[in-house]
């Protein structure tokens, strides 16, 4: 059976380019066909891989997409991998890297796991996002982490809605509608709760809201969240995963619901610092103090 792996690289990092060459060589030596994006091919300088256009077709029929970079690189790769249903395997070369499965120190072991097929695939919730003004569609998109309605210059005046019922009016810098995966991203910075990835839920987190009731909310994954920018107030902007931007005039309504297509992530077997429980990842990423913990009593 012919196996194909797509490799994507943050070419702005020298370490990523060197790591990409190592990954490509190891995969090719194992008899696996390797694709790289044509926009990155010249920087990698590896003639053992097939260059393909950097569009959703790049991941078609690929067994896995290995991404060398930070969470931003993973979010960019998700735009190609999601339509094809291809799982993403992130190798963290950035800072926090919550979406990444492996650290660069584990790169060789991670590639060995891919070659041997020692990985599982888990699905992460996404959100579908629709923005309309007076019946005109301004945006029809999606996000893995969050969709955020934000001010451009002056404070936004919005009404938040859950399942077709008005919740509250806020003067605010914005409103984040996030997935559990996105709970450790922008929503976390805005004071939202950390939600374990296997929990199915949607989050609404107001940003710097001038109101007594402006707490983060966790609602059913079957709920529909909506944010309406009030007429005769300044417009805003919609950001999805910090990558896709849409202008929102006053009077725009943004609806967010569970996405029809998940993003698939590869989880490795037998690599020391990967496949760890989410609690361990929180402790490691945020360097949380756990000294003195003794664990449960043993019989």
């Amino acid at each position: 059976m012919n196996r194909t792996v797509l490799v994507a690289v943050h070419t702005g990092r020298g370490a990523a380019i060197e790591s990409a060459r190592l990954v490509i060589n190891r995969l090719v030596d194992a008899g696996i066909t390797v694709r790289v994006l044509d926009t990155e091919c010249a920087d990698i300088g590896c003639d053992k891989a097939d260059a393909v256009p950097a569009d959703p077709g790049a991941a078609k029929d690929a067994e896995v997409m290995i991404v060398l970079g930070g969470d931003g690189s993973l979010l960019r790769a998700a735009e190609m991998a999601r339509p094809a249903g291809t799982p993403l395997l992130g190798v963290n070369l950035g800072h926090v890297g919550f979406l990444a499965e492996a650290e660069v120190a584990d790169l060789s072991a991670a590639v060995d796991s891919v070659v041997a097929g020692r990985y599982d695939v888990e699905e992460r919730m996404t959100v579908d996002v629709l923005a309309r003004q007076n019946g005109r569609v301004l945006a029809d998109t999606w996000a893995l982490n969050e969709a955020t309605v934000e001010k451009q210059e002056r404070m936004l005046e919005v009404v938040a809605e859950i399942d077709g019922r008005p919740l509250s009016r806020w003067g605010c810098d914005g409103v984040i509608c996030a997935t559990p995966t996105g709970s450790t991203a922008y929503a976390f910075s805005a004071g939202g709760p950390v939600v374990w990835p296997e929990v199915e839920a949607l989050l609404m987190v107001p940003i710097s809201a001038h109101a007594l009731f402006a707490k983060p909310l966790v609602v059913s994954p079957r709920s529909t969240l909506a944010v309406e920018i009030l007429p005769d107030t300044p417009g805003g902007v919609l950001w999805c995963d910090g990558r896709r931007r849409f202008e929102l005039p006053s009077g725009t309504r943004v609806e967010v619901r569970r996405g029809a297509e998940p993003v698939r992530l590869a989880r490795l077997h037998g690599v020391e610092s990967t496949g760890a429980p989410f609690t361990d990842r929180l402790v490691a990423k945020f360097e949380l103090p756990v000294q003195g913990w003794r664990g449960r009593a043993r019989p």
Side-chain angles (χ1 to χ4, degrees):
M1 181 181 66
N2 183 40
R3 301 175 66 192
T4 300
V5 171
L6 174 61
V7 176
V9 188
H10 187 319
T11 55
R13 300 177 185 270
I17 293 174
E18 291 301 317
S19 296
R21 292 171 181 164
L22 182 151
V23 169
I24 292 168
N25 289 331
R26 294 281 290 274
L27 292 173
V28 170
D29 289 345
I32 296 174
T33 299
V34 178
R35 297 176 190 162
V36 296
L37 303 177
D38 57 4
T39 53
E40 301 168 356
C41 187
D43 291 310
I44 296 172
C46 183
D47 58 2
K48 296 183 179 181
D50 299 329
V52 295
D55 59 36
K60 184 178 180 181
D61 300 324
E63 177 182 327
V64 70
M65 182 174 181
I66 298 177
V67 185
L68 302 158
D71 279 351
S73 299
L74 261 293
L75 292 171
R76 175 173 65 95
E79 296 175 359
M80 290 176 269
R82 179 178 181 249
T86 301
L88 292 165
L89 173 60
V91 178
N92 183 37
L93 300 175
H95 299 291
V96 178
F98 259 105
L99 289 173
E101 173 65 5
E103 300 296 323
V104 68
D106 302 310
L107 182 58
S108 293
V111 175
D112 289 344
S113 291
V114 171
V115 170
R118 295 194 304 268
Y119 62 88
D120 296 319
V121 176
E122 68 178 31
E123 294 186 344
R124 293 291 184 91
M125 273 183 61
T126 59
V127 289
D128 288 337
V129 186
L130 182 65
R132 291 180 290 195
Q133 182 201 39
N134 299 325
R136 180 168 63 101
V137 174
L138 304 178
D140 187 355
T141 185
W142 69 282
L144 171 59
N145 274 350
E146 74 280 307
T148 307
V149 177
E150 298 183 29
K151 71 175 185 180
Q152 293 205 68
E153 296 179 0
R154 296 165 52 197
M155 180 186 297
L156 285 176
E157 290 287 340
V158 304
V159 172
E161 172 191 301
I162 308 292
D163 293 329
R165 303 302 303 161
L167 175 72
S168 185
R169 175 172 171 164
W170 294 321
C172 58
D173 287 350
V175 181
I176 302 169
C177 299
T179 66
T181 298
S183 72
T184 51
Y186 193 3
F188 177 82
S189 299
V194 174
V195 181
W196 266 237
E198 61 268 24
V199 174
E200 294 194 340
L202 294 172
L203 286 70
M204 178 179 277
V205 182
I207 306 172
S208 302
H210 291 235
L212 291 177
F213 183 86
K215 298 298 184 182
L217 306 173
V218 181
V219 303
S220 164
R222 297 178 296 278
S223 290
T224 297
L225 313 182
V227 179
E228 294 185 356
I229 301 177
L230 296 179
D232 302 321
T233 62
V237 61
L238 169 66
W239 282 101
C240 290
D241 286 339
R243 292 189 48 78
R244 296 177 296 283
R245 184 182 189 276
F246 305 88
E247 296 285 335
L248 300 178
S250 61
T252 297
R253 174 183 172 88
V254 178
E255 295 180 351
V256 179
R257 53 177 52 86
R258 181 177 189 156
E261 295 181 41
V263 166
R264 307 177 78 212
L265 299 181
R267 301 300 302 273
L268 301 174
H269 302 171
V271 179
E272 183 176 351
S273 66
T274 66
F278 185 69
T279 307
D280 292 350
R281 292 191 175 210
L282 281 178
V283 170
K285 299 296 184 181
F286 292 122
E287 299 181 352
L288 301 179
V290 293
Q291 295 86 353
W293 177 74
R294 299 177 63 187
R296 68 183 67 175
R298 291 174 173 78

